[in-house]
Amino acid sequence: MSIHDPQAPPEVRRDAATESQTDLSTEIRARHRAYRDGRAGGGVPEETGPVRDFAPYRSSLLRHPTKDLRHADPETVELLAPVFGERDIGPLEADLTAAHGGEPIGERIVVAGRVVDGAGRPVRGQLVEVWQANAGGRYVHKRDQHPAPIDPHFTGVGRTLTDDDGWYRFTTIKPGPYPWKNHVNAWRPAHIHFSLFGTDFTQRTVTQMYFPGDPLFALDPIYQSIRDPRARDRLVAVYDHSLTSHEWSTGYRWDIVLSGTSRTWSEPEDGDE
Amino acid sequence: MSDGTPRLRPTPGQTVGPFFGFALPYDRGHELVDPGTPGAVRLHGRVLDGAGRPVPDALLEIWHADPSGVVVRRTGAMLRDGTFTGWGRAATDREGGFWFRTLEPGPTPSASGPRRPAMIAVAVFARGLTDRLFTRAYLPDDGDPERAAALARDPFLAGLEPERRATLLAAREPDGSLRFDVRLQGEGETVFLDLGQGTPGHAPPEAADDLAHGVVRGVAAGPPPDPLDLPDPGGAVLSGVPSPPSRGVPPRA
Ligand SMILES: [Fe+2]
C-alpha cells in the first residue's frame, strides 16, 4: 500500500506527513505531564504498563479500544497456561548466532534473566520467544524496507524454555536502531522483542527489551507509551559483567515479572527496581 | 495474595510491532487438530480497526479446554504431531482474516458452582496495539436449552449490555463453522477484558491462587454473584487437570 494511495488508512498516509520529532515530543510531554500531575495530586493510580490510547504512536489511533476493559474473573482455562516442552523447540534455538552457516556481523551478546510471577516465584519450563533486527537495524521480515544490509548469517529469531529456576539465556547480536514511518526522522531505540507465557494465560505478555543509556528513549512514542518512568525502566536491561565472557561476548541481564498488567502489588515504594 | 506475599510490579507490555511475521507464526500453528479429525471445527473471523478496515498485521492466540471441558496440559503445540494441546496461534492475512481448526471446548468446571458456558480464551496482538488484549469467544447455544441456560446465568455475560455481550458470542455459520470477528474500536467494538485481581488504586481483593488445591482465584471479585454461583464449600477441583509435568531443564545460567 503506497503512502500516496488516497485509499490508504490515515496512519499510512501520515507517512507523507511533515510532522517533526519536535511535534511528537511535544505531544508525548503533554501526555506525560498529565500523568505526573495526576499522580502528584493523588487520585491517579500508578500505571504499570503502556496506555492503550497513545496518539503519538500513530498506528494506535484507529486500533486502540475506546471503551474501558471489562473486569472478568478469570475462568479455569485462563488460570492455566499452555504447556511447552523440549520437544517443541530445538536445542540450538537459544543461540541466534548459530545454525545460519556462519558468524553474523555485530556485537555478540548474551541476554539472560529470570522470569518470575508476581510473588517472585520462578516461571518454570515456559516458552520464551525473541525476535530482533540485525546489527544494521534490519529485520529479515519482507515488509522491512530499511535500506540496511541483510545479514545472511542472521535471522534474528530465537526460542527457549525457562529452566527450573525461571532462567532464560540467549546468545545473539546486539540489534541496531532502525527508522520507521511514524513521523519525519523517527527512529526506534535498539530493542529485542520478547514473547512470554506465565503460569496462567492472564500473564501472557509480548514486550520489548531495551539497552541501557539509549539516546533514542526520550524520542520514541512506543517506549514512551508507558507514562510511568519506573515502569519504563523495567524494560531496560542492565550490563552484567558476570554474563560477559572472556574474549567472546558481553552480557546483559533482564529479569521479567509476569503478574498481569492490572493486578495489585505491595512491594515497598523504594524497591530495588 | 491471601498469604500476604508481595506482588511485584509487572514487566510492561509493548506492541508486537509490524515485524513479528517471521518469528511468531509457525507451521500449522492455527491447526490444533488435523483435517478430518472427528468434531473438528473451523473458528474464523476478521480483525477490524476503528474505520472498519481489516488489520492485516494482527496475531491471535486461542487457548481452551477439550470437548469434555478438561484443560489439557500437554506439550507439542509447536510440533502439531496430532496431540491436541488446546492452544493455537494465527496471524491475520491481508484482509484481516484468520482461522483455526480445533475442537469445540466443553463447559469447564469452576470453583463456584455450575459449569461455565463453553468459551475460548483469546489474546490479540497487533501493530498499533500498545499492549495485548484479552477477550473470549463464547460458543453459541445452537438451540440447546442447557447451553442457553448456562449462557444466560453467567454472571459476567449477564453484566454486559446486550449489544456488547453479542460481541463475545461466536456465530454458528451455515457450514457449521464458528465466526468470531474482533473489532478493535468503534461500532461493535469487541469487549476486551481486565482479568486482573482488581485495578491499581483499588483495594486488593483477597484472592487465593493455589491451583494445586483447585481453588480458582478471584471468585470474590467482580459483579455480584449469581445465586447459582456460590462457592462450593468443598473447594472445587479442576477435574482432570494433572500437575504440569516436570521437565528437568538443565540450568543455563
Ligand atoms: Fe522492532
Side-chain angles (χ1 to χ4, degrees):
Chain A
M1 193 177 301
S2 161
I3 59 172
H4 306 295
D5 178 358
Q7 300 300 312
E11 72 270 18
V12 173
R13 276 184 277 125
R14 277 179 183 274
D15 288 357
T18 55
E19 293 173 303
S20 67
Q21 182 68 56
T22 305
D23 298 332
L24 267 291
S25 292
T26 302
E27 284 185 44
I28 291 170
R29 271 198 301 276
R31 291 297 305 278
H32 286 204
R33 192 181 311 117
Y35 173 68
R36 205 166 48 241
D37 292 351
R39 290 288 289 156
V44 171
E46 179 179 338
E47 291 174 355
T48 60
V51 286
R52 286 179 293 279
D53 169 15
F54 197 70
Y57 176 29
R58 298 303 191 217
S59 304
S60 76
L61 287 171
L62 283 169
R63 293 184 170 193
H64 71 84
T66 54
K67 297 178 164 54
D68 288 340
L69 302 186
R70 294 296 286 245
H71 175 78
D73 294 332
E75 298 276 359
T76 302
V77 70
E78 290 158 336
L79 292 168
L80 297 167
V83 178
F84 300 93
E86 296 200 333
R87 69 198 192 106
D88 284 299
I89 59 172
L92 290 179
E93 291 188 62
D95 186 349
L96 286 73
T97 68
H100 300 293
E103 282 286 336
I105 299 291
E107 179 183 342
R108 188 184 302 110
I109 60 172
V110 163
V111 177
R114 279 184 86 215
V115 184
V116 298
D117 69 11
R121 295 173 297 210
V123 173
R124 297 189 173 100
Q126 194 47 287
L127 180 66
V128 181
E129 297 164 282
V130 294
W131 70 103
Q132 62 168 91
N134 68 20
R138 178 80 187 259
Y139 283 93
V140 169
H141 196 284
K142 60 181 181 298
R143 278 184 50 199
D144 186 355
Q145 303 294 313
H146 178 34
I150 295 274
D151 185 336
H153 300 139
F154 192 73
T155 61
V157 180
R159 299 191 291 190
T160 193
L161 296 175
T162 55
D163 72 14
D164 278 350
D165 207 26
W167 281 90
Y168 71 89
R169 180 186 179 100
F170 290 102
T171 301
T172 185
I173 292 295
K174 193 173 183 185
Y178 60 83
W180 61 311
K181 297 180 187 302
N182 194 67
H183 54 280
V184 173
N185 203 14
W187 288 80
R188 297 292 332 281
H191 58 274
I192 299 177
H193 295 267
F194 270 72
S195 165
L196 300 144
F197 292 81
T199 52
D200 72 46
F201 197 62
T202 71
Q203 297 167 350
R204 180 80 181 93
T205 296
V206 166
T207 187
Q208 302 179 26
M209 186 212 89
Y210 299 88
F211 293 87
D214 197 311
L216 293 167
F217 282 156
L219 309 180
D220 178 35
I222 291 180
Y223 183 63
Q224 300 294 336
S225 68
I226 303 162
R227 296 195 296 180
D228 190 281
R230 283 156 50 104
R232 285 198 299 277
D233 287 348
R234 292 199 290 274
L235 293 182
V236 183
V238 295
Y239 172 75
D240 185 341
H241 202 63
S242 73
L243 291 170
T244 292
S245 304
H246 179 66
E247 295 183 355
W248 184 246
S249 68
T250 56
Y252 290 87
R253 169 89 183 253
W254 187 52
D255 292 339
I256 298 159
V257 178
L258 302 175
S259 56
T261 43
S262 59
R263 296 185 185 196
T264 52
W265 57 87
S266 58
E267 66 180 328
E269 277 296 305
D270 299 309
D272 59 352
E273 290 172 75
Chain B
M1 302 290 296
S2 55
D3 58 2
T5 311
R7 285 215 79 91
L8 304 173
R9 288 173 173 80
T11 300
Q14 290 266 266
T15 182
V16 75
F19 298 136
F20 59 82
F22 71 99
L24 294 180
Y26 63 95
D27 189 31
R28 292 187 297 152
H30 60 298
E31 301 183 51
L32 286 74
V33 293
D34 294 332
T37 304
V41 68
R42 214 168 79 93
L43 170 72
H44 60 104
R46 292 172 82 201
V47 181
L48 302 166
D49 72 9
R53 280 187 302 252
V55 176
D57 40 18
L59 184 83
L60 268 73
E61 289 178 355
I62 61 170
W63 169 232
H64 64 86
D66 74 6
S68 61
V70 170
V71 181
V72 303
R73 314 300 310 285
R74 294 191 200 108
T75 64
M78 301 218 138
L79 290 180
R80 295 297 185 224
D81 62 353
T83 308
F84 177 78
T85 64
W87 181 82
R89 174 183 280 172
T92 54
D93 61 27
R94 279 184 288 185
E95 295 179 349
F98 64 88
W99 68 274
F100 295 93
R101 186 190 307 111
T102 190
L103 302 174
E104 293 188 27
T108 302
S110 78
S112 47
R115 289 191 166 222
R116 299 296 199 179
M119 66 90 176
I120 293 169
V122 180
V124 182
F125 309 85
R127 179 178 69 85
L129 274 184
T130 58
D131 202 356
R132 51 95 188 89
L133 295 169
F134 292 117
T135 186
R136 292 172 179 168
Y138 284 88
L139 266 51
D141 62 43
D142 291 328
D144 179 314
E146 213 172 296
R147 289 167 68 173
L151 285 165
R153 72 171 174 249
D154 183 78
F156 168 66
L157 288 175
L160 297 172
E161 305 78 7
E163 71 277 8
R164 300 226 68 207
R165 181 178 183 269
T167 69
L168 299 183
L169 283 173
R172 184 71 65 186
E173 300 272 273
D175 66 358
S177 65
L178 290 167
R179 169 108 194 175
F180 184 74
D181 291 328
V182 176
R183 291 181 174 80
L184 295 176
Q185 187 186 91
E187 182 86 25
E189 183 175 305
T190 299
V191 171
F192 298 104
L193 306 177
D194 167 13
L195 294 168
Q197 305 296 298
T199 49
H202 291 70
E206 283 301 307
D209 68 347
D210 191 348
L211 279 171
H213 293 92
V215 179
V216 176
R217 266 178 281 190
V219 291
D226 186 279
L228 291 171
D229 195 32
L230 296 171
D232 177 342
V237 171
L238 306 176
S239 61
V241 183
S243 306
S246 77
R247 286 173 206 85
V249 184
R252 293 187 177 85

